Amino acid sequence: MKMETLLLIITAVLTALVAGLFYAYSCSVVLGLGKLPDAEYLKAMQHINREILNPVFFMSFMGTAILLPLSVFILRGDQPVFILLLAAALVYLIGVFGVTIAGNVPLNDVLDKFDIAGSTAEAIKQMRESFENRWNLLNNIRSVFSLISIILVIGACIRYREL
């Protein structure tokens, strides 16, 4: 197997894992959490946001951010594949990685510092109102962009195979 083929396969798998993660959040996790009372919702999100910071998540999330541009560079001589991978990399880096770093992470950081046990019911309600809808919107954006990214990577894989 050629190095380029292996690179494309690993890139596709990691991109698909990230897309699946955000898709699962959008269509199940946030819906279930949304049914919880305010304090329980905030506690659950605090725990999830802390636990997701693990090597397996970072391998897929950061690995995709590294391998997509690397794939673009290595396959730059193959015009159709290059264009698909460049588009996939831009979509991922802006719509998934960028939205996460500029949007979801700051919200997570604010929530992480929020003292649920020492807060009034009104403060808890306000925190949820300032967090939940914005976080969910940003996650939906990540979901859509990660889906577009994996479609583009699959297109690049198909086109590469045809060459």
Side-chain angles (χ1 to χ4, degrees):
M1 180 181 299
K2 291 177 15 181
M3 180 195 69
E4 292 89 353
T5 304
L6 184 59
L7 176 63
L8 277 175
I9 290 169
I10 294 169
T11 301
V13 168
L14 292 180
T15 306
L17 288 171
V18 172
L21 172 73
F22 294 136
Y23 170 77
Y25 261 83
S26 291
C27 71
S28 64
V29 175
V30 296
L31 298 175
L33 292 175
K35 306 283 189 234
L36 294 174
D38 294 341
E40 298 307 312
Y41 169 84
L42 295 177
K43 284 180 200 172
M45 284 302 290
Q46 283 178 335
H47 288 293
I48 290 169
N49 291 335
R50 290 172 187 150
E51 292 303 315
I52 200 164
L53 302 176
N54 65 69
V56 175
F57 170 73
F58 283 121
M59 181 185 66
S60 56
F61 185 70
M62 298 301 292
T64 303
I66 294 166
L67 290 182
L68 275 170
L70 180 63
S71 297
V72 170
F73 178 76
I74 289 178
L75 293 162
R76 67 189 177 278
D78 186 350
Q79 198 60 25
V81 173
F82 169 78
I83 301 273
L84 289 165
L85 289 172
L86 179 61
L90 290 172
V91 165
Y92 184 85
L93 292 172
I94 294 166
V96 180
F97 191 81
V99 167
T100 300
I101 299 304
N104 294 88
V105 169
L107 287 171
N108 293 347
D109 290 344
V110 169
L111 178 61
D112 191 55
K113 294 175 184 142
F114 184 71
D115 177 19
I116 298 167
S119 296
T120 65
E122 184 58 33
I124 290 170
K125 181 180 181 201
Q126 287 176 354
M127 173 55 80
R128 182 176 184 167
E129 288 173 356
S130 69
F131 178 87
E132 184 176 20
N133 288 336
R134 181 154 171 75
W135 195 96
N136 289 347
L137 172 64
L138 293 169
N139 189 67
N140 288 336
I141 291 168
R142 298 186 302 188
S143 298
V144 169
F145 278 86
S146 61
L147 175 63
I148 293 167
S149 187
I150 187 58
I151 289 169
L152 290 166
V153 171
I154 290 169
C157 290
I158 292 168
R159 184 68 183 157
Y160 181 77
R161 177 85 171 127
E162 291 174 352
L163 298 175

